[in-house]
Amino acid sequence: MSVRRLAEDQFQPAAFAFSDENAVWADKTIQKYPAGRQQSAVIPLLMRAQEQDGWVTRAAIEKIADMLDMAYIRVLEVATFYTQFQLHPVGTRAHVQVCGTTPCMLRGSEALMSVCKSKIHAHAFERNAEGTLSWEEVECLGACVNAPMVMIGKDTYEDLTPERLEEIIDVFAAGNGASIKPGTQIDRVFSAPEGGLTSLTTEEPKARTRAKKANAETVSAQVDAAPVPPSEAARPKSTDAETNAALKTPATAPKAAAKNAKAAEQQPISGTGAAEPAPKAAVKAETAPAAKPALTDKNRPAGIEKPVAPDDLKMISGVGPKIEATLNEIGIFTFAQVAGWKKAEREWVDGYLNFRGRIERDDWVKQAKALAKGGEAEYIKVFGKKPR
Ligand code: FES
């Protein structure tokens, strides 16, 4: 973590003023707060000043302090506390904030910083030769679950490898940062498990649901038919006794039923009373996950030897490095192969990858057809966006 100070005098402009549009916005923002609480607008105003000039200058701090009737030191304290505020001129196209806190460090943030050093500048906060890029190390940015990660502007880029960060920096350097999808950069949804779900993958088996219902009905029938306990039967038949019995029965019966139901659930399912027993083996069979299709299955798509220049299957949305490696293992190396898969073959691959219909949902065949026909250009033409 670096010491956060204002930039040297040589970088500081003589004055700061919000643009007309931002000045209107600033007035409205200040008015959102009750009388005497205008200082609460300090963070939004500092952030707007940064968005306008690229970084927070001393003149901006003083101007905002005047607008909010605050001492300069109070605004300086805020600006120096939050690493979101840049106190030095930073890259005009990207300022890469690399998280160096423990989870990210254990998952490779040092390698990410080496990339920044080699591609941007050997020292944090120094800009590259063109003035377009800069970087720094920051503390936890709250995306540890997908560590390691960086933040650029308001977006985070997660699950990074040094190679992927190099690509991202190159795209930002070319001025196309907006084309990169923020968030995880691998084959996962948000922070869900990599490669698909690993738990809660099956619905409650119907056989078990039926058996539970049958047991509950049996217990209920037994409770209804239960003889009155001798102590109850022997009671004198006075009005009070009847009332008491009537009041007592509903209170004790559900308790007994609940107890029996619990016991029944814990017991192996057996044929008591009217309930049809659910064979244990049948329950087991329905709970077992779908078997992985055999490699010898006739629907397995034909594989090929690895070509000299295999296609980058990761360009297909839904294919990450792990899935690509699995596809390669079964001889799938080109877009043309994927484009030619028939329904049965798609189902085979979907089952083999345990994808639960994702190949259809992501329409791999359509994507692969576009990529096979004209690469990225054709993909953009068909889908209106770049492949990943
Ligand atoms: S440790 Fe890096 S985001 Fe939390």
Side-chain angles (χ1 to χ4, degrees):
M1 184 71 194
S2 55
V3 177
R4 290 175 54 77
R5 301 182 200 284
L6 291 179
E8 295 77 24
D9 287 348
Q10 70 197 77
F11 296 110
Q12 296 289 354
F16 170 84
F18 278 117
S19 65
D20 292 346
E21 188 188 339
N22 283 340
V24 171
W25 174 89
D27 282 344
K28 273 195 193 152
T29 302
I30 294 169
Q31 284 166 26
K32 283 183 190 170
Y33 300 95
R37 295 283 184 271
Q38 281 70 25
Q39 298 179 358
S40 303
V42 65
I43 288 181
L45 262 60
L46 281 168
M47 189 50 80
R48 186 55 71 107
Q50 175 165 294
E51 285 166 2
Q52 178 179 301
D53 286 359
W55 60 293
V56 177
T57 63
R58 176 163 44 211
I61 289 171
E62 292 173 356
K63 171 74 178 174
I64 290 167
D66 291 340
M67 289 169 73
L68 300 176
D69 197 19
M70 294 171 74
Y72 291 167
I73 183 65
R74 294 286 169 245
V75 183
L76 181 68
E77 283 168 353
V78 174
T80 52
F81 182 81
Y82 294 105
T83 53
Q84 282 80 359
F85 294 125
Q86 300 305 327
L87 304 176
H88 298 252
V90 293
T92 52
R93 291 188 173 159
H95 177 65
V96 184
Q97 295 185 300
V98 186
C99 172
T101 302
T102 314
C104 283
M105 189 262 283
L106 292 173
R107 299 267 296 162
S109 66
E110 282 164 344
L112 301 185
M113 281 183 255
S114 299
V115 169
C116 292
K117 285 176 187 169
S118 67
K119 287 195 82 77
I120 301 175
H121 197 284
H123 301 293
F125 294 109
E126 298 290 341
R127 287 169 290 175
N128 62 347
E130 297 78 28
T132 51
L133 301 170
S134 55
W135 73 278
E136 71 173 303
E137 178 185 353
V138 294
E139 297 300 325
C140 178
L141 289 169
C144 336
V145 67
N146 289 353
M149 55 79 70
V150 304
M151 180 179 258
I152 301 175
K154 291 178 178 172
D155 289 319
T156 58
Y157 301 86
E158 304 151 14
D159 289 312
L160 290 173
T161 58
E163 296 75 26
R164 181 62 185 145
L165 181 58
E166 281 185 22
E167 290 168 7
I168 290 173
I169 290 175
D170 287 342
V171 175
F172 271 95
N176 296 324
S179 67
I180 302 175
K181 184 171 71 77
T184 180
Q185 301 296 305
I186 62 167
D187 178 30
R188 76 159 100 204
V189 178
F190 302 117
S191 53
E194 193 177 340
L197 290 180
T198 57
S199 59
L200 299 176
T201 53
T202 54
E203 289 178 19
E204 183 173 35
K206 283 190 183 120
R208 185 182 294 168
T209 311
R210 276 200 302 273
K212 268 188 188 172
K213 197 170 162 217
N215 269 296
E217 283 168 5
T218 306
V219 169
S220 173
Q222 284 170 344
V223 169
D224 285 347
V228 178
S231 58
E232 294 284 340
R235 280 173 186 249
K237 295 220 178 262
S238 70
T239 311
D240 281 354
E242 278 171 10
T243 311
N244 285 341
L247 288 172
K248 199 167 181 180
T249 305
T252 47
K255 254 191 200 168
K259 198 174 168 191
N260 289 342
K262 200 170 177 199
E265 269 192 35
Q266 287 166 350
Q267 290 297 321
I269 299 164
S270 64
T272 54
E276 197 58 42
K280 217 173 168 187
V283 173
K284 240 186 183 165
E286 286 203 35
T287 50
K292 202 170 180 178
L295 288 168
T296 50
D297 191 293
K298 65 179 171 26
N299 291 321
R300 174 184 168 180
I304 59 172
E305 286 296 316
K306 184 177 182 181
V308 182
D311 288 334
D312 180 3
L313 298 178
K314 295 189 293 305
M315 291 175 80
I316 298 174
S317 171
V319 179
K322 202 170 147 194
I323 298 299
E324 184 184 50
T326 308
L327 291 171
N328 291 167
E329 276 168 21
I330 57 171
I332 308 298
F333 292 96
T334 68
F335 298 133
Q337 283 178 282
V338 179
W341 286 348
K342 300 281 177 293
K343 187 162 188 296
E345 291 169 324
R346 294 197 296 274
E347 283 172 358
W348 186 92
V349 179
D350 201 80
Y352 190 76
L353 298 175
N354 195 19
F355 255 23
R356 297 182 178 76
R358 188 160 165 198
I359 290 180
E360 295 298 330
R361 285 199 300 281
D362 289 349
D363 209 341
W364 282 17
V365 168
K366 190 174 175 188
Q367 291 188 65
K369 272 184 184 158
L371 290 164
K373 187 177 171 194
E376 185 173 305
E378 181 66 17
Y379 191 99
I380 294 170
K381 214 158 88 185
V382 175
F383 294 97
K385 63 177 184 183
K386 288 175 90 170
R388 43 177 294 169

